[in-house]
Amino acid sequence: MAWMAWTWPTAAFFVIIALLLVTFTILAIRYPETPRVGVLGIETTRGDRLFITLLGSAFINLAWLGLVGVAQPAALLVCLIFAAAVFRWV
């Protein structure tokens, strides 16, 4: 049943996602927050902004693969800038 190539980058991706979810759960329990309204005009919490960041980063990486094709680490920089913007203004 080798339906997926489990490489170190693949494993690291899933470990980082799991750690983010655990961290944000602990933050929500220890430091509850009230939703805030950002540039999208909707109320968002930390978890909402994390979801928007992960979804947007997936699309950034797919677009990068389609347009550039290589040098995926450069897309990581774009994703980090996107994440900072989402957590600041959304």
Side-chain angles (χ1 to χ4, degrees), residues 65-76:
L65 280 173
L67 298 173
V68 179
V70 293
Q72 202 65 14
L76 176 62

Side-chain angles (χ1 to χ4, degrees), residues 56-79:
S57 294
F59 285 115
I60 289 169
N61 278 283
L62 286 173
W64 192 275
L65 280 173
L67 298 173
V68 179
V70 293
Q72 202 65 14
L76 176 62
L77 180 62
V78 175
C79 289

Side-chain angles (χ1 to χ4, degrees), residues 9-69:
T10 304
F13 171 78
F14 285 106
V15 167
I16 289 170
I17 297 296
L19 290 174
L20 279 170
L21 291 173
V22 168
T23 301
F24 274 69
T25 300
I26 292 169
L27 283 173
I29 293 168
R30 293 196 63 183
Y31 306 105
E33 71 169 332
T34 57
R36 70 178 193 202
V37 177
V39 295
L40 295 178
I42 59 173
E43 289 185 349
T44 60
T45 62
R46 279 186 220 109
D48 298 331
R49 292 187 292 276
L50 176 64
F51 179 75
I52 292 168
T53 298
L54 291 174
L55 191 61
S57 294
F59 285 115
I60 289 169
N61 278 283
L62 286 173
W64 192 275
L65 280 173
L67 298 173
V68 179

